[in-house]
Protein backbone atom coordinates (compact mmCIF):
# COMPACT_ATOMS: atom_id res chain seq x y z
CA UNK A 1 0.00 0.00 0.00
CA UNK A 2 1.32 3.46 -0.90
CA UNK A 3 1.04 6.60 1.21
CA UNK A 4 1.38 10.36 0.88
CA UNK A 5 2.59 12.78 3.50
CA UNK A 6 -0.10 14.29 5.71
CA UNK A 7 1.52 17.75 5.85
CA UNK A 8 4.64 19.69 4.91
CA UNK A 9 7.37 19.40 7.51
CA UNK A 10 10.84 20.67 8.42
CA UNK A 11 13.56 19.10 10.59
CA UNK A 12 16.94 20.55 11.54
CA UNK A 13 20.01 18.62 12.72
CA UNK A 14 23.59 19.65 13.46
CA UNK A 15 26.13 16.97 12.63
CA UNK A 16 29.83 17.61 13.29
CA UNK A 17 29.43 21.35 12.75
CA UNK A 18 27.32 21.10 9.58
CA UNK A 19 23.72 22.23 9.71
CA UNK A 20 21.19 20.06 7.83
CA UNK A 21 17.65 21.28 7.14
CA UNK A 22 15.16 18.70 5.86
CA UNK A 23 11.88 19.66 4.21
CA UNK A 24 9.03 17.54 2.82
CA UNK A 25 6.39 18.64 0.30
CA UNK A 26 3.53 17.05 -1.60
CA UNK A 27 4.17 17.28 -5.36
CA UNK A 28 2.50 15.75 -8.42
CA UNK A 29 5.23 16.04 -11.06
CA UNK A 30 9.01 16.17 -11.40
CA UNK A 31 8.66 19.70 -12.82
CA UNK A 32 6.76 20.88 -9.73
CA UNK A 33 9.47 19.33 -7.53
CA UNK A 34 12.24 21.07 -9.47
CA UNK A 35 10.43 24.43 -9.18
CA UNK A 36 10.36 24.03 -5.39
CA UNK A 37 14.06 23.07 -5.36
CA UNK A 38 14.91 26.21 -7.39
CA UNK A 39 12.98 28.37 -4.89
CA UNK A 40 14.84 26.75 -1.99
CA UNK A 41 18.17 27.34 -3.73
CA UNK A 42 17.24 31.04 -4.03
CA UNK A 43 16.18 31.14 -0.38
CA UNK A 44 19.40 29.42 0.81
CA UNK A 45 21.99 30.99 -1.49
CA UNK A 46 24.77 30.47 1.07
CA UNK A 47 24.07 26.76 1.55
CA UNK A 48 26.82 24.36 0.48
CA UNK A 49 24.35 21.88 -1.08
CA UNK A 50 20.62 21.55 -1.73
CA UNK A 51 20.11 17.81 -2.25
CA UNK A 52 16.76 16.22 -2.96
CA UNK A 53 14.71 13.23 -4.03
CA UNK A 54 11.14 12.90 -5.23
CA UNK A 55 8.80 10.02 -6.03
CA UNK A 56 5.83 10.63 -8.31
CA UNK A 57 2.82 8.44 -9.05
CA UNK A 58 2.18 8.27 -12.79
CA UNK A 59 -0.86 6.13 -13.67
CA UNK A 60 -0.15 3.72 -10.80
CA UNK A 61 3.63 3.51 -11.30
CA UNK A 62 5.97 5.29 -8.86
CA UNK A 63 8.88 7.09 -10.54
CA UNK A 64 11.84 8.17 -8.41
CA UNK A 65 14.34 10.99 -9.10
CA UNK A 66 17.20 12.38 -7.02
CA UNK A 67 20.13 14.79 -7.05
CA UNK A 68 23.38 14.82 -5.07
CA UNK A 69 23.78 18.54 -5.93
CA UNK A 70 27.57 18.43 -5.85
CA UNK A 71 28.03 16.00 -2.94
CA UNK A 72 30.00 12.83 -3.82
CA UNK A 73 28.05 10.57 -6.21
CA UNK A 74 25.36 8.55 -4.44
CA UNK A 75 25.96 10.10 -1.00
CA UNK A 76 22.91 12.39 -0.75
CA UNK A 77 20.08 12.08 -3.32
CA UNK A 78 19.87 8.25 -3.44
CA UNK A 79 19.90 7.91 0.40
CA UNK A 80 17.02 10.41 0.60
CA UNK A 81 15.13 8.47 -2.08
CA UNK A 82 15.80 5.23 -0.21
CA UNK A 83 14.11 6.66 2.91
CA UNK A 84 11.11 7.78 0.80
CA UNK A 85 10.83 4.23 -0.58
CA UNK A 86 11.17 2.71 2.90
CA UNK A 87 8.22 4.82 4.07
CA UNK A 88 6.36 3.72 0.88
CA UNK A 89 5.57 7.35 0.02
CA UNK A 90 4.61 8.76 -3.35
CA UNK A 91 3.87 12.29 -4.67
CA UNK A 92 6.59 13.49 -2.32
CA UNK A 93 9.61 15.78 -2.51
CA UNK A 94 12.18 15.66 0.28
CA UNK A 95 14.91 18.30 0.22
CA UNK A 96 17.93 18.38 2.54
CA UNK A 97 19.85 21.66 2.68
CA UNK A 98 23.42 21.54 4.03
CA UNK A 99 25.50 24.35 5.46
CA UNK A 100 29.05 22.99 5.68
CA UNK A 101 30.58 23.33 9.13
CA UNK A 102 34.24 22.63 8.36
CA UNK A 103 34.43 18.88 9.12
CA UNK A 104 34.27 16.40 6.26
CA UNK A 105 31.96 13.48 6.99
CA UNK A 106 33.20 10.96 4.41
CA UNK A 107 30.86 9.00 2.12
CA UNK A 108 29.46 6.83 4.92
CA UNK A 109 28.92 9.83 7.16
CA UNK A 110 27.15 11.76 4.39
CA UNK A 111 24.84 8.82 3.65
CA UNK A 112 23.96 8.53 7.36
CA UNK A 113 23.45 12.29 7.68
CA UNK A 114 21.23 12.75 4.62
CA UNK A 115 19.15 9.63 5.26
CA UNK A 116 18.82 10.46 8.97
CA UNK A 117 17.59 14.01 8.34
CA UNK A 118 15.22 12.75 5.62
CA UNK A 119 13.81 10.09 7.98
CA UNK A 120 13.20 12.64 10.75
CA UNK A 121 11.53 15.03 8.29
CA UNK A 122 9.22 12.35 6.87
CA UNK A 123 8.32 11.10 10.35
CA UNK A 124 7.25 14.65 11.25
CA UNK A 125 5.21 14.93 8.03
CA UNK A 126 3.14 11.85 8.90
CA UNK A 127 1.36 9.85 6.22
CA UNK A 128 -2.07 9.03 4.85
CA UNK A 129 -3.24 6.38 2.40
CA UNK A 130 -2.48 7.27 -1.22
CA UNK A 131 -5.24 6.87 -3.81
CA UNK A 132 -3.58 6.81 -7.25
CA UNK A 133 -4.70 9.26 -9.91
CA UNK A 134 -5.22 8.39 -13.54
CA UNK A 135 -4.60 10.74 -16.47
CA UNK A 136 -7.38 10.06 -18.97
CA UNK A 137 -8.57 11.30 -22.33
CA UNK A 138 -12.01 11.23 -23.94
CA UNK A 139 -12.52 11.68 -27.66
CA UNK A 140 -16.01 12.06 -29.14
CA UNK A 141 -18.04 13.66 -31.91
CA UNK A 142 -18.78 17.38 -31.31
CA UNK A 143 -22.51 16.80 -30.77
CA UNK A 144 -21.65 14.68 -27.66
CA UNK A 145 -19.70 17.47 -25.94
CA UNK A 146 -22.45 18.57 -23.53
CA UNK A 147 -23.08 14.95 -22.48
CA UNK A 148 -19.35 14.41 -21.92
CA UNK A 149 -19.11 17.55 -19.77
CA UNK A 150 -22.17 16.55 -17.74
CA UNK A 151 -20.54 13.20 -16.90
CA UNK A 152 -17.12 14.69 -16.17
CA UNK A 153 -18.53 17.26 -13.73
CA UNK A 154 -19.38 14.32 -11.45
CA UNK A 155 -15.76 13.18 -11.30
CA UNK A 156 -13.36 16.11 -11.62
CA UNK A 157 -13.04 19.87 -11.19
CA UNK A 158 -10.82 20.65 -14.13
CA UNK A 159 -10.89 19.52 -17.78
CA UNK A 160 -8.85 20.57 -20.81
CA UNK A 161 -10.88 20.33 -24.01
CA UNK A 162 -9.61 20.80 -27.54
CA UNK A 163 -11.74 20.96 -30.67
CA UNK A 164 -11.49 20.12 -34.34
CA UNK A 165 -14.33 20.21 -36.92
CA UNK A 166 -15.07 16.50 -36.57
CA UNK A 167 -13.89 15.65 -33.02
CA UNK A 168 -13.59 16.91 -29.45
CA UNK A 169 -10.86 15.76 -27.12
CA UNK A 170 -10.88 16.22 -23.33
CA UNK A 171 -7.97 15.46 -21.00
CA UNK A 172 -8.61 15.13 -17.26
CA UNK A 173 -7.51 13.40 -14.08
CA UNK A 174 -9.46 11.30 -11.56
CA UNK A 175 -8.62 9.06 -8.62
CA UNK A 176 -8.41 5.40 -9.59
CA UNK A 177 -11.28 4.40 -7.28
CA UNK A 178 -13.71 6.31 -9.53
CA UNK A 179 -12.61 4.73 -12.81
CA UNK A 180 -15.11 1.86 -13.05
CA UNK A 181 -18.07 4.15 -12.37
CA UNK A 182 -16.80 6.71 -14.89
CA UNK A 183 -16.34 4.00 -17.54
CA UNK A 184 -19.95 2.91 -17.01
CA UNK A 185 -21.28 6.48 -17.34
CA UNK A 186 -19.18 7.25 -20.42
CA UNK A 187 -20.35 4.00 -22.02
CA UNK A 188 -23.87 5.47 -22.16
CA UNK A 189 -22.73 8.22 -24.56
CA UNK A 190 -22.51 7.25 -28.25
CA UNK A 191 -19.23 7.92 -30.15
CA UNK A 192 -17.15 8.33 -26.97
CA UNK A 193 -13.73 6.68 -26.64
CA UNK A 194 -12.01 6.65 -23.20
CA UNK A 195 -8.23 6.09 -23.04
CA UNK A 196 -5.33 6.66 -20.65
CA UNK A 197 -3.21 9.63 -21.68
Amino acid sequence: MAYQIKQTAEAIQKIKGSKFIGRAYTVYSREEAQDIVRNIESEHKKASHVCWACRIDRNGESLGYSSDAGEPHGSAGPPILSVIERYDLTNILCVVIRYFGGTKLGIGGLIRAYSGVAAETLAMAGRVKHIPKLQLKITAKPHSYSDVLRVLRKYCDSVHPSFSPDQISVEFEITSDKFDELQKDVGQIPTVILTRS
Side-chain angles (χ1 to χ4, degrees):
M1 178 184 293
Y3 299 88
Q4 288 186 230
I5 59 169
K6 196 182 290 186
Q7 61 194 5
T8 56
E10 180 176 285
I12 300 172
Q13 287 186 18
K14 286 206 168 176
I15 301 167
K16 293 189 177 177
S18 284
K19 181 181 179 183
F20 291 85
I21 305 165
R23 290 186 183 171
Y25 304 86
T26 297
V27 294
Y28 295 99
S29 70
R30 184 180 182 180
E31 294 72 29
E32 184 184 357
Q34 289 171 322
D35 284 345
I36 292 172
V37 170
R38 279 191 285 272
N39 289 339
I40 291 171
E41 287 170 341
S42 296
E43 179 190 347
H44 290 273
K45 287 181 180 167
K46 294 185 178 177
S48 316
H49 306 279
V50 178
C51 305
W52 58 272
C54 68
R55 198 167 180 229
I56 309 297
D57 174 39
R58 179 72 182 165
N59 281 331
E61 181 185 359
S62 283
L63 305 174
Y65 308 94
S66 67
S67 169
D68 292 314
E71 290 283 30
H73 180 68
S75 66
I80 298 169
L81 183 58
S82 177
V83 174
I84 289 171
E85 290 168 346
R86 195 166 72 233
Y87 277 73
D88 203 9
L89 290 165
T90 194
N91 291 345
I92 164 93
L93 166 67
C94 185
V95 180
V96 180
I97 305 141
R98 181 188 185 191
Y99 285 87
F100 182 61
T103 303
K104 292 188 175 182
L105 301 179
I107 301 287
L110 288 171
I111 290 170
R112 285 190 295 277
Y114 280 102
S115 60
V117 174
E120 183 182 343
T121 307
L122 297 183
M124 290 173 69
R127 63 184 194 169
V128 292
K129 183 182 174 187
H130 167 66
I131 300 174
K133 289 190 175 179
L134 302 174
Q135 285 77 35
L136 302 171
K137 182 178 181 180
I138 281 179
T139 51
K141 296 294 182 187
H143 66 266
S144 300
Y145 184 59
S146 60
D147 291 329
V148 169
L149 278 188
R150 179 180 43 76
V151 167
L152 288 181
R153 281 195 192 103
K154 284 174 60 180
Y155 298 96
C156 56
D157 301 323
S158 151
V159 297
H160 306 285
S162 60
F163 302 89
S164 69
D166 57 347
Q167 181 176 281
I168 59 144
S169 174
V170 185
E171 293 189 6
F172 60 99
E173 187 177 74
I174 62 166
T175 54
S176 60
D177 56 339
K178 296 177 182 175
F179 181 73
D180 289 343
E181 194 181 340
L182 167 73
Q183 204 170 24
K184 197 166 108 182
D185 284 351
V186 165
Q188 306 297 315
I189 307 169
T191 80
V192 169
I193 299 168
L194 176 65
T195 55
R196 293 192 184 199
S197 60

